[in-house]
Amino acid sequence: NAGVTQTPKFQVLKTGQSMTLQCAQDMNHNSMYWYRQDPGMGLRLIYYSASEGTTDKGEVPNGYNVSRLNKREFSLRLESAAPSQTSVYFCASSLGRSYNSPLHFGNGTRLTVT
Amino acid sequence: SQQGEEDPQALSIQEGENATMNCSYKTSINNLQWYRQNSGRGLVHLILIRSNEREKHSGRLRVTLDTSKKSSSLLITASRAADTASYFCVHSGGYQKVTFGIGTKLQVIP
């Protein structure tokens, strides 16, 4: 079982470039999430999708867009990257809502914006 | 915010010793979860304890919950070098927007 798979693992962008981070899960989970992790700040929720066809903003949605392509896939797009978006991005999924179901995480995408 | 506050922020112990980490929160909760993050990896779920439970065990892990003090503790017994990681508590009163604190960084010295 692959669990939650994120691609790419590493990416370097120049300011203003765009990119899409991909996430797929093979556990038939209903909910999916995007977090960013910065030193000394813990993980912050960017967007989440409680079920296929729905998406909602988290704590820090500005500068990002998401697409729940189907039940398996949830992508995160940076339309115009900024140095403040340098971070490690984690995708996660859960069977039910996150407050009652364990979250399963991918291994992250390390993004540097210069 | 639904994040917990872990204490201490860093902990260094010898292999074989027990490690205790604490978590405090401010609102009423449905449950509390603990996660581990090894360096460079995603978080791994360790244990979930519901608000009507006081103690839960999983292998070498013991979690307690005191809702009157709004606190929880994670005890790792007979620690191993492989337990070196950051540990996070997350609690929820029923909101989808669960967030994480900065965690406790545990170092187990062989």
Side-chain angles (χ1 to χ4, degrees), chain A residues 31 33 35 37 40-43 45 48 57 59 90 97-103 105-107 110, chain B residues 30-31 33 35 37 40-45 48 50 88 92 94-102:
Chain A
S31 300
Y33 314 82
Y35 286 88
Q37 186 174 31
M41 298 195 71
L43 276 80
L45 182 64
Y48 67 97
K57 295 178 181 178
E59 285 182 280
F90 289 98
R97 296 189 180 272
S98 61
Y99 51 82
N100 273 331
S101 298
L103 295 171
F105 284 82
N107 283 324
R110 281 143 191 83
Chain B
N30 284 341
N31 61 59
Q33 304 182 44
Y35 287 80
Q37 183 181 31
R41 310 283 286 184
L43 280 75
V44 173
H45 181 260
L48 182 152
R50 302 196 186 282
F88 299 84
S92 170
Y95 298 98
Q96 184 72 17
K97 297 180 185 182
V98 169
T99 56
F100 294 74
I102 60 174

Side-chain angles (χ1 to χ4, degrees), chain B residues 42-107:
Chain B
L43 280 75
V44 173
H45 181 260
L46 295 177
I47 201 163
L48 182 152
I49 186 165
R50 302 196 186 282
S51 59
N52 61 354
E53 297 175 307
R54 290 296 165 258
E55 188 169 310
K56 204 160 181 181
H57 295 255
S58 177
R60 293 182 297 110
L61 306 181
R62 184 177 80 124
V63 168
T64 60
L65 180 64
D66 187 335
T67 52
S68 66
K69 292 181 180 176
K70 292 187 167 53
S71 67
S72 174
S73 66
L74 170 66
L75 168 68
I76 304 173
T77 59
S79 63
R80 304 168 181 166
D83 295 327
T84 293
S86 291
Y87 292 82
F88 299 84
C89 73
V90 179
H91 70 276
S92 170
Y95 298 98
Q96 184 72 17
K97 297 180 185 182
V98 169
T99 56
F100 294 74
I102 60 174
T104 291
K105 199 169 229 182
L106 172 66
Q107 182 184 25

